[in-house]
């Protein structure tokens, strides 16, 4: 995947209507301090397009990034920010759940978890929401540069167990610092684009 153009095309708040896009959407979900904005910036080859902050909970909207005019990378609100009010956390949760259930162009969901820690109840809830919405999440285990290489396999196993995922679940160890895992994610997105376009063409043939 070669990034030629990136445009923050749509920002949806709590009361916003989701856009009726015609291109494939790939969503990214994760806790508010898991490094989601850093990952998205890295994938788009931008330093600060997706807002990063030392203060968790900054992503409170659904942000649609049009990449190469071929697909959307969709940044979902960060969840699990304990200092946010209960009302705010509930609203963010409803935004995410509504998107997962109603977006017509959503093709895949990446769920980010911190490889250093066992997934918590919020991570498990998000994993289950994604499953209930008809998708099987691809797990990105962030901050892999913070652990020893010899610990990676053990930590990946603990991530799967903590989420209740199948042993075959794809987990991509990732580092926004070293860019480990970036090409693997690019390759997955390229494959998704191919399959999405093939399915779209088959659908047009069927309509005719």
């Amino acid at each position: 995947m070669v990034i030629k153009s990136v445009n923050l095309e749509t920002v949806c708040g709590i009361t916003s209507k989701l856009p009726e896009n015609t291109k494939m959407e790939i969503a990214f979900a994760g806790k508010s301090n898991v490094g989601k904005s850093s990952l998205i910036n890295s994938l788009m080859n931008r330093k600060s397009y997706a807002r990063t902050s030392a203060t968790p909970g900054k992503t409170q909207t659904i942000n649609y990034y049009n990449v190469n005019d071929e697909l959307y990378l969709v940044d979902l609100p960060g969840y699990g920010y304990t200092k946010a009010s209960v009302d705010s956390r509930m609203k963010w949760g409803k935004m995410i759940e509504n998107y997962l259930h109603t977006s017509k162009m959503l093709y895949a969901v990446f769920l980010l978890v911190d490889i250093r820690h066992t997934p918590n109840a919020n991570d498990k809830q998000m994993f289950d929401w994604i499953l209930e919405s008809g998708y099987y999440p691809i797990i990105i285990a962030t901050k892999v540069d913070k652990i020893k290489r010899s610990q990676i396999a053990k930590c990946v196993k603990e991530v799967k167990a903590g989420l209740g995922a199948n042993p075959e679940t794809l987990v991509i160890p990732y580092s926004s610092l070293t860019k480990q895992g970036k090409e693997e994610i690019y390759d997955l997105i390229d494959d998704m684009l191919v399959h999405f376009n093939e399915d779209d063409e088959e659908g047009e043939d069927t309509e005719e």
Side-chain angles (χ1 to χ4, degrees):
M1 184 176 182
V2 178
I3 305 298
K4 299 175 182 176
S5 64
V6 176
N7 178 40
L8 176 56
E9 191 168 289
T10 309
V11 177
C12 292
I14 291 170
T15 59
S16 302
K17 181 181 178 182
L18 296 178
E20 295 183 4
N21 292 324
T22 57
K23 300 177 181 65
M24 179 179 75
E25 296 173 9
I26 298 174
F28 293 83
K31 283 196 299 248
S32 55
N33 61 347
V34 77
K36 182 159 54 65
S37 295
S38 295
L39 166 73
I40 292 173
N41 282 328
S42 172
L43 293 178
M44 298 188 301
N45 292 331
R46 301 295 190 271
K47 289 186 177 180
S48 57
Y49 212 44
R51 290 181 301 171
T52 59
S53 174
T55 304
K58 282 293 182 183
T59 305
Q60 301 176 14
T61 53
I62 300 176
N63 300 328
Y64 293 76
Y65 295 94
N66 185 331
V67 178
N68 296 342
D69 205 29
E70 289 182 318
L71 74 151
Y72 290 97
L73 299 186
V74 182
D75 186 8
L76 299 177
Y79 58 83
Y81 182 43
T82 56
K83 291 185 180 180
S85 68
V86 173
D87 183 58
S88 293
R89 295 202 300 271
M90 288 180 64
K91 287 178 179 177
W92 298 344
K94 287 180 180 177
M95 286 174 64
I96 295 170
E97 196 170 17
N98 177 58
Y99 172 78
L100 293 174
H101 284 151
T102 62
S103 176
K104 296 178 181 178
M105 304 307 288
L106 179 59
Y107 192 80
V109 184
F110 288 97
L111 175 60
L112 280 65
V113 297
D114 190 328
I115 197 169
R116 301 171 298 174
H117 307 298
T118 301
N120 64 15
N122 286 318
D123 294 318
K124 181 69 169 93
Q125 182 181 46
M126 178 56 64
F127 183 82
D128 291 341
W129 274 358
I130 297 169
L131 288 177
E132 289 166 7
S133 300
Y135 304 91
Y136 202 92
I138 299 164
I139 311 302
I140 300 178
T142 63
K143 306 186 181 182
V144 70
D145 54 281
K146 305 288 187 184
I147 64 173
K148 295 178 181 178
R149 185 173 294 274
S150 60
Q151 296 176 306
I152 294 177
K154 173 178 173 289
C155 290
V156 165
K157 187 175 180 180
E158 290 175 353
V159 164
K160 291 182 181 180
L163 293 172
N166 294 331
E168 298 80 16
T169 299
L170 180 59
V171 177
I172 303 173
Y174 178 83
S175 167
S176 59
L177 183 65
T178 68
K179 304 301 183 288
Q180 178 180 342
K182 181 177 179 180
E183 290 302 322
E184 190 173 352
I185 296 171
Y186 274 172
D187 289 344
L188 280 173
I189 292 175
D190 282 338
D191 287 343
M192 291 174 189
L193 263 176
V194 170
H195 290 300
F196 177 84
N197 290 329
E198 286 177 348
D199 291 345
D200 194 40
E201 289 175 1
E202 289 176 3
E204 290 177 359
D205 292 341
T206 301
E207 289 175 6
E208 292 174 0

